Amino acid sequence: LDVKTIIIDEETDKNRRLFKRIFLAWAKKPSIGMIQMFCVGCRSGVLKYQHPLMKTYNINYLADGGNLSENTYHKLGFLGLKHTSDETIFTRSKDNTAESSRTDTKFPFLFAIAREIFKNPHFLDPLIFIESAKEFRQISRKFPNGKSVFKPLIYEKYDEDKVIKVITEELDWKKPSYCRATWRSDCKMAILKNYCYFKMVFFSDYDLMLSTRIWEGSIDRKEAMNRIEEYNNFDTTVINGFLKSVGIEPSILHNAIKLWQDRTNIKNNA
């Protein structure tokens, strides 16, 4: 695209250690609501550098690539919370006013996480505590006057065929071979989380995304059903390989899911 690209790679090793500790703590007493904690290092890293980069390069507007099809309100529900706005707590609002008005959602979320930690004290690890606190502080930060976030894809109707055509034919984009869906195909952590959701509650983020697209009229139900059957057919060799790359024995994941299923008397025959 001939745009200046800045790559920050300062905390990769720390984030691997952080994820390993979070995952192993979770696996001791698996909770559907705490799967979202797997992303703490990545989320806090993204948020950490937004303000400094905008200041350094005198950037007033941050374009966020999120769209309405990506809303995953069920993750609040897994913590016993109800969403009260058009944005999830992990996304920036379109203007400073809307962002500051969402404090009422953030604090209940914090208390819900604290409740989960009380149930599973294995999360009381110094690194997990420090990085989680940093993320909460960064999410709560307001943008300085004159600087704000906007989401172009909220105003532009999503045309999947057009998007795929442009990025493949004009930008030489290629979908990773290990991912059946194009959505978030660059993130193996997302694949791991979706696998956990599917095995534990029989649906994943893919279901929610496709459901939203049916609602907005950009895909019919038959096509969505065909896709979801494909998307939720996970390749465990990819997931096992990802876990091994960060020093985690894959059997820990599968034993944790079995523990959840036994505890809740749920068996997934898919």
Side-chain angles (χ1 to χ4, degrees):
L1 295 178
D2 196 24
V3 224
K4 185 179 183 67
T5 302
I6 300 170
I7 298 175
I8 300 172
D9 187 17
E10 295 183 356
E11 301 179 349
T12 302
D13 290 338
K14 183 199 72 177
N15 283 340
R16 283 183 180 142
R17 293 196 310 273
L18 174 62
F19 165 67
K20 184 176 181 178
R21 294 189 190 185
I22 290 175
F23 181 86
L24 293 178
W26 173 83
K28 295 282 178 55
K29 193 173 182 180
S31 161
I32 194 69
M34 293 296 273
I35 291 175
Q36 56 193 291
M37 287 288 287
F38 294 174
C39 294
V40 165
C42 181
R43 279 196 308 257
S44 58
V46 170
L47 297 174
K48 175 181 178 180
Y49 292 102
Q50 284 181 353
H51 289 209
L53 288 174
M54 291 178 77
K55 182 178 180 181
T56 299
Y57 294 95
N58 194 29
I59 298 169
N60 291 328
Y61 300 99
L62 176 65
D64 187 318
N67 64 76
L68 295 177
S69 295
E70 294 184 303
N71 284 334
T72 50
Y73 296 132
H74 62 290
K75 293 176 184 176
L76 293 178
F78 289 148
L79 290 171
L81 300 174
K82 294 181 180 180
H83 70 87
T84 56
S85 71
D86 292 332
E87 303 273 339
T88 69
I89 58 174
F90 293 129
T91 57
R92 296 285 184 181
S93 57
K94 289 172 282 187
D95 56 75
N96 290 335
T97 304
E99 181 183 329
S100 61
S101 69
R102 287 165 51 234
T103 305
D104 61 328
T105 310
K106 295 169 186 172
F107 284 102
F109 173 77
L110 181 63
F111 287 122
I113 291 293
R115 184 172 62 243
E116 290 286 333
I117 292 174
F118 179 76
K119 294 178 183 177
N120 184 359
H122 295 286
F123 281 109
L124 293 174
D125 177 288
L127 182 61
I128 297 176
F129 180 81
I130 291 170
E131 293 304 315
S132 299
K134 285 180 181 178
E135 177 178 306
F136 183 76
R137 187 179 72 246
Q138 288 159 359
I139 288 175
S140 303
R141 289 171 68 188
K142 297 179 183 178
F143 274 73
N145 290 334
K147 298 185 183 296
S148 60
V149 179
F150 72 100
K151 296 187 174 186
L153 297 180
I154 284 183
Y155 306 100
E156 176 78 12
K157 185 173 181 179
Y158 180 63
D159 184 336
E160 182 179 17
D161 292 336
K162 179 180 178 182
V163 170
I164 299 299
K165 180 179 175 61
V166 169
I167 63 177
T168 53
E169 296 183 7
E170 298 182 27
L171 305 179
D172 196 29
W173 179 84
K174 295 179 177 62
K175 182 171 71 69
S177 59
Y178 56 77
C179 190
R180 292 180 169 87
T182 55
W183 186 42
R184 294 182 180 172
S185 59
D186 61 334
C187 180
K188 290 183 179 179
M189 185 76 77
I191 297 174
L192 169 65
K193 289 166 57 184
N194 277 322
Y195 176 79
C196 291
Y197 286 131
F198 181 66
K199 286 295 183 180
M200 295 168 77
V201 290
F202 312 132
F203 69 90
S204 68
D205 290 356
Y206 299 131
D207 296 69
L208 272 294
M209 181 267 288
L210 289 170
S211 178
T212 303
R213 295 198 56 212
I214 294 172
W215 173 78
E216 67 186 11
S218 60
I219 189 174
D220 62 40
R221 188 174 187 276
K222 182 179 179 180
E223 172 66 15
M225 292 295 289
N226 289 335
R227 288 197 189 188
I228 202 58
E229 186 174 348
E230 179 186 5
Y231 293 172
N232 283 334
N233 182 17
F234 296 92
D235 185 348
T236 54
T237 59
V238 173
I239 296 168
N240 293 344
F242 169 65
L243 291 174
K244 287 179 180 179
S245 72
V246 292
I248 297 173
E249 175 55 46
S251 62
I252 296 175
L253 166 65
H254 306 298
N255 289 338
I257 290 174
K258 185 177 185 304
L259 177 63
W260 162 271
Q261 293 174 341
D262 291 341
R263 196 173 71 226
T264 56
N265 294 319
I266 290 176
K267 292 293 182 181
N268 188 347
N269 297 317

